[in-house]
Amino acid sequence: MLRLGKREFGPHEPVIMAIVNRTPDSFYDRGATFRDEPALARVEQAVAEGAAIVDIGGVKAGPGEEVSAEEEARRTVGFVAEVRRRFPDVIISVDTWRAEVGEAVCEAGADLLNDAWGGVDPGLAQVAARYGVGLVCTHAGGAQPRTRPHRVTYDDVMADILNVTLGLAERAVSLGVPRESVLIDPGHDFGKNTRHSLEATRRLDEMVATGWPVLVSLSNKDFVGESLDRPVKERLIGTLATTAVSAWLGAQVYRVHEVAETRQVLDMVTAIAGHRAPTVARRGLA
C-alpha cells in the first residue's frame, strides 16, 4: 500500500504526478507556468484529467542561471500554500534537493518531497521524517545538482540503481519517514546516458521486485529524444511507449507533462493486465 497525503493506492493502481514548473526556463514549457495564475490553471487542469499528485519545482534540472535556496523558496512556498487552500485533497509534491526548502514547503502543506538528486543533501530525508511526509529516493549516479552526465560508466547500471535507491529508502525509514510513503526512482537521464536509461527501463521489474513503489520520470526526456532523434516537442509518442512498457513491468507513479494521454495509456495497460475492468463492455453482449 502506497500512502501519500490523504490518499492510499493499491499495488496495481497507477498514479499520475503532473509537473508544474515554477521556473522561467524549464526545458519543456519554457516558463509557461512561472506566474501564479497559469500555474494554478495547470493544477486545475491536471487534477481534472486524472492526476492525483502535482509536483511543483522551483529550479530547472539542467544547467542555467543560479537559483539560491531563498529564490527557490520564493517560487514554491506561497504557491504550495495556495494549492493546498484551493485543492485540499490533491497530493502536493515539491521537487527539491535542499533541506531548507523542504522544511519551508512542508510548513506550507506539502505531502511529498521529490529528491531527484539522490540524497545530495542528507538533511532532506530528516525533514521528511520530521513532518511525516513522503520521500522519493532517486538514483542520480552521484551527480551534483543541475549538472549533465559526461562519459558516465557503470559495470551494471541496474545494480548501481538498486544499491543507491534501496540504501536511501532504508535510511529514510530508519530516520522515521513512513515506510508506506517512500518511493524509489531509477532517475532516467540523471547521471546516465541514453543506453543507461533504456536499460533501466528494460529492467524496471528488478526495482518493482524489491517491494518499494517505483516512480518513473520519463516525460519528453533526452533518452526518448535520442532514441527517436526527435526534438523536445515531438517526444510524446516515445514517452507514451516508454510509459506503457514501464506500466507493464510494474512501475506505479508517473511524473508527466501530458496527463490525459498518460491516463489513457495507464488505463489500457491495467485493463490488459487484468487489474482494471473495461470502462464499457458491450461488444458481443448486445
Side-chain angles (χ1 to χ4, degrees), residues 13-60:
E13 185 176 358
V15 183
I16 295 178
M17 170 190 274
I19 299 166
V20 182
N21 289 315
R22 303 309 316 284
T23 60
D25 54 354
S26 54
F27 90 99
Y28 183 71
D29 61 35
R30 316 306 290 176
T33 53
F34 184 46
R35 293 184 299 109
D36 286 353
E37 286 311 313
L40 288 166
R42 161 68 174 162
V43 173
E44 184 174 16
Q45 178 186 11
V47 171
E49 291 178 345
I53 309 170
V54 292
D55 189 46
I56 299 163
V59 186
K60 80 168 188 175

Side-chain angles (χ1 to χ4, degrees), residues 202-217:
R202 198 160 52 242
R203 297 172 62 186
L204 270 178
D205 56 340
E206 295 177 41
M207 296 188 75
V208 173
T210 67
W212 296 98
V214 174
L215 180 151
V216 287
S217 183

Side-chain angles (χ1 to χ4, degrees), residues 227-245:
S227 294
L228 302 175
D229 192 18
R230 295 288 177 179
V232 170
K233 292 296 184 178
E234 297 179 17
R235 297 175 182 175
L236 175 58
I237 294 173
T239 296
L240 295 178
T242 313
T243 298
V245 170

Side-chain angles (χ1 to χ4, degrees), residues 75 110 135 156 182 202:
R75 295 176 179 182
L135 183 69
D156 182 329
V182 176
R202 198 160 52 242

Side-chain angles (χ1 to χ4, degrees), residues 151-154 157 161 188-189 191-201:
R151 301 192 183 281
V152 178
T153 61
Y154 298 96
V157 66
I161 288 169
H188 288 82
D189 277 0
K192 299 171 189 68
N193 61 33
T194 289
R195 288 184 176 84
H196 294 143
S197 292
L198 291 171
E199 182 172 352
T201 307

